[in-house]
Structures are given as C-alpha cells and as structure tokens.
Amino acid sequence: MATAQESADPSLALLTVEEAARRLRIGRTTCFRLVRAGEIESVTVGRLRRVPADAVPAYVAKLRHRPAEAA
C-alpha cells in the first residue's frame, strides 16, 4: 500500500489507476470507468494499465473548460 507521500511524488511519470484516483479525490471504480471510456489518458506497459502523471491535470483542465450541463 502506497503512503500519501509516495502517491503525491511529483517525480513519478506513470501512476496506477488507484494513484490517479487518489490525486483526483474520486473513487477507484470511477477512475477505472473514466480510463475505460477514454476520458483519462492511459497507457499499457506489458500487462499493466498506467496513467501518465500529466494526464491527471489534463483531465481536470478538460473538465474546467466543458460547458456547464443543464440541470
């Protein structure tokens, strides 16, 4: 289990989906769903699924520039 210090390490180039979820403060299942839908960029390394560290702020930026949805 990674500590908070390890999951916030800015030197990491690739994050696990769980680490990306922690950075976004969303659930693991929600993050996997966003990765599967292509909303958050991910790459395959061997049999592993990883999220590039810069994909997390890119996803947030994309959310910020979306038009507000009608209620």
Side-chain angles (χ1 to χ4, degrees):
M1 182 88 164
T3 65
Q5 182 71 12
E6 291 169 343
S7 66
D9 184 351
S11 67
L12 295 175
L14 295 173
L15 308 171
T16 66
V17 177
E18 290 86 353
E19 288 168 338
R22 276 195 296 274
R23 287 190 181 189
L24 290 166
R25 304 293 196 259
I26 62 175
R28 175 183 175 276
T29 304
T30 300
C31 195
F32 270 104
R33 188 171 60 242
L34 291 169
V35 165
R36 223 175 289 118
E39 290 286 320
I40 297 176
E41 179 189 359
S42 68
V43 296
T44 303
V45 180
R47 295 178 62 185
L48 304 173
R49 176 64 52 189
R50 294 293 183 253
V51 176
D54 61 349
V56 174
Y59 173 69
V60 173
K62 187 168 44 169
L63 289 177
R64 293 182 74 182
H65 292 96
R66 269 191 197 158
E69 295 179 12

